[in-house]
């Protein structure tokens, strides 16, 4: 009867998370490495020891990638109110991870499968001199002033439902490489070039490979025509440039 009582009291908690990804191997738990998922699951288990904890995220960010608006869910059977989970966890987490909000969600709600979009931002620092405050959060490209107008034109051409296998790193477990890029935005603010890209889902390494190509275009080393031919003809072997992880952040996940 005690097991039945615990089962009936199980509730699903949704959380909004920020993290600095520099010291982590990525979101997903990996044996022998420090992961965002691993640190969070250990903190949750200390507060709700009645059942094994599985934390499901909207997107599995790679090693070194940040998040300003990651979303995840977990099931608990204890008596902590949903809105109290954020403060309870923050008291047990390192400074590099913060729970912004915690809410109760229906038991059939899923942080990953219920999402209708993910939005990533990539920041390029295009100034001549290093900036210690920007280094952890951007890619410093200083040799050339990048042509953001060409980069924007190339990015706009990616909109829509396409086979993006040219921008998929090896090791992906997806059954196919088709997805929909819903929105893109690129602008320069002084020495900063800020790129936002929103899609229904992203392939493994997709954003960093796209940004790597855009930078080569911005340096006038790759034409728009060659870029379009590469990705539309799925020429993964021709796409060798990948942007470093520290400039990338998951900024928002959208739900109906």
């Amino acid at each position: 009867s005690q097991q039945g009582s615990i089962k009936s009291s199980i509730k699903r908690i949704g959380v909004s998370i920020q993290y600095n990804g520099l010291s982590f191997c990525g979101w997903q738990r990996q044996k022998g490495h420090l992961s965002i998922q691993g640190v969070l699951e250990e903190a949750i288990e200390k507060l709700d020891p009645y059942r094994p904890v599985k934390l499901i995220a909207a997107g599995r960010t790679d090693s070194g990638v940040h998040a300003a608006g990651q979303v995840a869910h977990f099931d608990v059977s204890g008596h902590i109110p949903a809105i109290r989970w954020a403060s309870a966890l923050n008291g047990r987490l390192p400074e590099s991870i913060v729970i912004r909000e915690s809410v109760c969600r229906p038991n059939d709600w899923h942080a990953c499968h219920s999402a209708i979009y993910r939005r990533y931002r990539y920041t390029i620092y295009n100034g001549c001199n290093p900036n210690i405050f920007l280094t952890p959060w951007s890619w410093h490209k200083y040799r050339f002033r990048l042509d953001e107008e060409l980069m924007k034109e190339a990015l706009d051409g990616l909109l829509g439902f396409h086979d993006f296998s040219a921008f998929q790193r090896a090791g992906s477990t997806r059954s196919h490489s088709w997805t929909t890029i819903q929105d893109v935005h690129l602008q320069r603010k002084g020495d900063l070039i800020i790129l936002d890209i929103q899609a229904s889902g992203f392939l493994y390494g997709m954003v960093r490979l796209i940004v790597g190509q855009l930078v080569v275009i911005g340096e006038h080393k790759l034409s728009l025509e060659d870029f379009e031919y590469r990705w539309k003809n799925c020429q993964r072997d021709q796409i060798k440039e990948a942007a470093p992880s520290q400039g990338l952040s998951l900024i928002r996940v959208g739900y109906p």
Side-chain angles (χ1 to χ4, degrees), residues 6 13 37 42 44 53 61-62 91 104 109 121 133 149 152 165-166 186 190-191 210 239 242 251:
I6 290 175
I13 308 296
Q37 182 186 27
E42 289 175 12
I44 295 167
V53 173
T61 52
D62 294 339
C104 190
W109 182 87
R121 174 169 295 164
F133 295 104
E149 293 303 321
K152 184 178 185 303
S165 57
L186 186 147
D191 288 331
I210 288 175
I239 297 178
I251 60 170

Side-chain angles (χ1 to χ4, degrees), residues 62-220:
D62 294 339
S63 175
V65 175
H66 314 294
Q70 173 72 281
V71 176
H73 79 258
F74 57 95
D75 294 333
V76 293
S77 54
H79 301 292
I80 300 174
I83 60 172
R84 294 289 303 278
W85 270 96
S87 58
L89 286 171
N90 285 334
R92 292 165 171 79
L93 293 173
E95 292 182 352
S96 53
I97 306 177
V98 172
I99 307 299
R100 294 292 305 275
E101 184 181 18
S102 57
V103 295
C104 190
R105 302 300 297 158
N107 285 346
D108 61 352
W109 182 87
H110 197 281
C112 181
H113 301 324
S114 299
I116 56 175
Y117 71 79
R118 288 91 174 151
R119 190 174 184 93
Y120 280 88
R121 174 169 295 164
Y122 199 95
T123 304
I124 300 169
Y125 172 48
N126 199 204
C128 295
N129 300 314
N131 186 318
I132 195 170
F133 295 104
L134 294 176
T135 298
W137 318 102
S138 64
W139 182 13
H140 188 195
K141 293 294 293 182
Y142 58 90
R143 293 186 182 275
F144 302 94
R145 181 176 174 84
L146 297 173
D147 187 335
E148 69 273 13
E149 293 303 321
L150 272 180
M151 295 168 69
K152 184 178 185 303
E153 189 174 347
L155 185 64
D156 288 344
L158 297 173
L159 284 166
F161 181 63
H162 303 287
D163 181 351
F164 288 107
S165 57
F167 302 119
Q168 181 171 257
R169 290 173 54 191
S172 173
T173 57
R174 283 179 60 113
S175 60
H176 63 85
S177 52
W178 290 80
T179 191
T180 302
I181 293 184
Q182 303 166 336
D183 184 49
V184 294
H185 186 254
L186 186 147
Q187 62 178 325
R188 177 185 284 274
K189 295 184 176 180
D191 288 331
L192 291 177
I193 296 176
I194 301 167
L195 180 158
D196 282 11
I197 182 168
Q198 178 177 305
S200 56
F202 286 89
L203 311 181
Y204 179 42
M206 180 176 173
V207 179
R208 290 170 58 192
L209 288 168
I210 288 175
V211 174
Q213 290 288 280
L214 294 179
V215 165
V216 179
I217 291 169
E219 294 173 334
H220 294 175

